[in-house]
């Protein structure tokens, strides 16, 4: 039992569509409720002493969805970024982004840039919005940055060098990744960074995910023996 709170928590917020379908509602309603859940869990994670929270909000594969659903999600993200500044200030929350920023519509890029700028000096929890994010895409962009940047390809790659070209190299690897809606897959989330993340799968659809579910995930994490390829620590389960 490590009894610790994860320094970096990642969440694959899944099941908005199924939540809506189960109630005979449009998928967009599920995303609206999903935003409420995200606000709830941002506050709860901050209160519990998490330092970094990465929220998988929209993947590089989610563009395959209908244009009106994609547009609705983008609208929600804009609303969230614009309306929450007081909340970020009160809780000293810093907003960051992971993913291919260049592939997002200009107005969202501006909202992200503004939120990042407005919150850059806040020293509490960092919320990293993984938006237009794919783990493979992040690695490809990192390699291209390296090819185009200082050192050049001849400098060779080490783990540290590749990491330095990822989206947020200063952010430590995720300790715990929660996925909701009962799916057991990464769906391209934090492929490099999550190499040794502990996973917790919740059966709840994301809009139903509550503080108590977060506490259950954190308690489960606290009982894990993290070996990182070594041998179990003495007294571990
Ligand atoms: C997660 O919920 C939100 C995004 C992927 C944007 P889904 O929309 O994937 O919900 P399900 O998986 O269809 O239930
Ligand atoms: C993963 O969920 C992406 C996000 C939560 C943003 P998906 O619903 O896109 O994943 P798949 O398609 O079920 O693997
Ligand atoms: Mg899904």
């Amino acid at each position: 039992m490590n009894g610790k709170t994860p320094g970096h928590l990642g969440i694959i917020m899944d099941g908005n569509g199924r939540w809506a379908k189960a109630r005979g509602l449009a998928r967009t309603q599920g995303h609206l409720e999903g935003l409420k859940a995200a606000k709830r869990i941002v506050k709860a994670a901050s209160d519990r002493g998490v330092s970094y929270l990465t929220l998988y909000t929209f993947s590089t594969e989610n563009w395959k969805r209908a244009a009106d659903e994609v547009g609705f999600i983008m609208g929600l993200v804009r609303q969230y970024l614009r309306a929450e500044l007081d909340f970020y200030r009160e809780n000293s929350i810093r907003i960051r982004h992971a993913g291919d920023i260049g592939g997002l519509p200009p107005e969202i890029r501006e909202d992200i840039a503004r939120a990042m700028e407005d919150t850059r000096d806040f020293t509490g929890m960092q919320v990293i919005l993984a938006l237009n994010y794919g783990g493979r895409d992040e690695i490809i962009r990192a390699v291209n940055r390296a090819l185009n940047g200082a050192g050049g390809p001849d400098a060779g790659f080490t783990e540290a060098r590749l990491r330095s070209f990822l989206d947020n190299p200063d952010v430590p690897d995720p300790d715990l990744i929660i996925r909701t809606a009962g799916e057991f897959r990464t769906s391209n989330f934090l492929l490099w960074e999550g190499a040794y993340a502990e996973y917790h799968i919740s059966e709840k659809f994301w809009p139903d995910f509550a503080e108590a579910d977060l506490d259950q995930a954190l308690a489960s994490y606290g009982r894990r023996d993290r070996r990182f390829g070594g041998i179990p620590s003495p007294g571990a389960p």
Side-chain angles (χ1 to χ4, degrees):
M1 174 151 177
N2 66 40
K4 287 193 180 126
T5 303
H8 182 175
L9 170 64
I11 307 186
I12 303 172
M13 307 181 290
D14 199 14
N16 293 351
R18 278 164 283 176
W19 181 92
K21 192 169 178 219
R23 287 161 180 76
L25 301 170
R27 292 181 59 85
T28 47
Q29 281 300 115
H31 296 310
L32 199 59
E33 287 304 312
L35 173 60
K36 292 183 195 162
K39 287 188 198 172
R40 191 159 71 225
I41 297 305
V42 166
K43 175 82 171 93
S46 166
D47 289 347
R48 283 152 183 77
V50 169
S51 302
Y52 302 87
L53 174 64
T54 299
L55 295 176
Y56 202 7
T57 307
F58 191 87
S59 77
T60 45
E61 287 70 38
N62 287 147
W63 298 104
K64 292 174 187 164
R65 299 184 181 201
D68 58 349
E69 180 173 344
V70 170
F72 188 87
I73 293 170
M74 294 297 159
L76 277 185
V77 171
R78 295 197 65 191
Q79 189 187 316
Y80 176 72
L81 288 169
R82 286 164 163 257
E84 298 296 316
L85 187 58
D86 287 344
F87 169 78
Y88 305 147
R89 189 177 293 110
E90 275 157 31
N91 294 278
S92 203
I93 286 172
R94 179 173 167 199
I95 298 293
R96 300 178 67 172
H97 172 260
D100 180 11
I101 191 92
L104 286 165
E107 60 278 10
I108 288 233
R109 293 208 303 256
E110 283 162 26
D111 287 340
I112 292 171
R114 190 175 311 111
M116 283 175 51
E117 182 59 31
D118 288 346
T119 63
R120 62 177 301 153
D121 296 326
F122 296 164
T123 55
M125 186 174 77
Q126 300 192 14
V127 173
I128 299 149
L129 291 179
L131 187 70
N132 197 21
Y133 177 88
R136 289 182 177 179
D137 179 70
E138 183 187 21
I139 293 169
I140 296 296
R141 286 184 296 101
V143 169
N144 283 326
R145 275 180 201 137
L147 290 173
N148 297 327
D154 293 343
F157 272 101
T158 58
E159 282 199 14
R161 181 157 192 258
L162 186 80
R163 176 188 295 274
S164 75
F165 291 102
L166 294 177
D167 287 345
N168 294 297
D170 61 303
V171 172
D173 287 343
D175 301 293
L176 172 66
I177 293 176
I178 298 172
R179 181 161 186 155
T180 57
E183 305 290 356
F184 286 70
R185 57 178 170 267
T186 70
S187 298
N188 210 4
F189 186 52
L190 300 180
L191 294 186
W192 175 277
E193 301 88 334
Y196 268 100
E198 298 292 329
Y199 269 80
H200 177 88
I201 309 297
S202 165
E203 292 300 320
K204 292 260 182 93
F205 294 141
W206 176 247
D208 290 330
F209 197 78
E211 285 88 340
D213 301 304
L214 176 67
D215 286 333
Q216 210 174 52
L218 297 180
S220 161
Y221 172 80
R223 291 189 296 272
R224 310 276 179 95
D225 182 38
R226 302 184 76 194
R227 295 174 202 147
F228 299 99
I231 51 169
S233 52

